[in-house]
Amino acid sequence: VANNAIMIAKPHPMASTGNSLSQSNLWLIDNNWLNEKNVSLYEMLGASDCLLTDVSSVVIDYLLLDRPVIHTFADLEEYTTSRGFTVSPIEDYLAGPVVTGMAGLLDTMAQLIAKKDLEPEKRKKLLALSHTYKDDKSTERLMLLVGLKSSDDPS
């Protein structure tokens, strides 16, 4: 509240609580909330300043915005030893710092609020690994690929 920041948390649909919550500067939303407000998740992401996530694939899309990502993973050690990851070490493939507890999360968020961008070079590296195109022409390329537009069409 002191820094006037707002945190909007949207759990994965499989983990959804089924209830929206709004308490001062913390909002817990779900798909129903988004539908009621006629807002898509990607509109919310586009309006955000930072993404807090575990290892969700939404990070790949968020990289295009070149905005900070914080990976919140309280059970990273347990997850690594039980399920594991397809790449190792996983920290090399995460777009920002990994926090495993509330103290680390609050400290990292305070740094971001103070305008200290964390690990921008790591985001750039992952962007290059995950995206061939970084422009706004994907729909046009898709239309050309499936034959809905010709290459000599001026529109």
Side-chain angles (χ1 to χ4, degrees):
V1 175
N3 53 38
N4 208 24
I6 296 174
M7 175 186 252
I8 300 173
K10 190 216 169 277
H12 188 280
M14 297 298 287
S16 179
T17 63
N19 297 316
S20 297
L21 167 74
S22 181
Q23 290 186 342
S24 182
N25 292 41
L26 171 63
W27 301 355
L28 179 63
I29 65 170
D30 57 15
N31 286 335
N32 290 333
W33 185 93
L34 291 169
N35 291 336
E36 288 169 11
K37 304 295 185 207
N38 198 28
V39 175
S40 75
L41 175 61
Y42 282 90
E43 289 172 308
M44 293 290 290
L45 290 171
S48 70
D49 294 318
C50 175
L51 176 67
L52 275 69
T53 186
D54 51 10
V55 289
S56 173
S57 61
V58 74
V59 171
I60 300 301
D61 295 330
Y62 201 77
L63 287 171
L64 290 166
L65 298 174
D66 192 25
R67 296 182 191 152
V69 175
I70 302 171
H71 294 277
T72 57
F73 219 126
D75 60 346
L76 180 61
E77 182 88 20
E78 178 184 329
Y79 190 96
T80 301
T81 57
S82 65
R83 288 187 61 184
F85 296 97
T86 57
V87 294
S88 182
I90 189 60
E91 291 82 3
D92 288 352
Y93 298 90
L94 298 177
V98 177
V99 297
T100 57
M102 186 58 74
L105 176 60
L106 293 174
D107 180 58
T108 304
M109 290 175 66
Q111 291 178 58
L112 288 174
I113 290 168
K115 306 293 185 207
K116 181 177 182 205
D117 192 356
L118 305 171
E119 305 187 18
E121 293 307 315
K122 198 172 191 185
R123 288 195 312 271
K124 286 178 180 42
K125 175 185 156 200
L126 292 171
L127 178 67
L129 285 173
S130 58
H131 291 279
T132 300
Y133 302 103
K134 296 146 191 96
D135 59 19
D136 61 351
K137 306 289 185 218
S138 292
T139 301
E140 184 176 336
R141 282 188 290 274
L142 179 61
M143 290 177 67
L144 286 166
L145 183 68
V146 298
L148 293 175
K149 184 176 180 176
S150 68
S151 57
D152 57 349
D153 187 354
S155 58

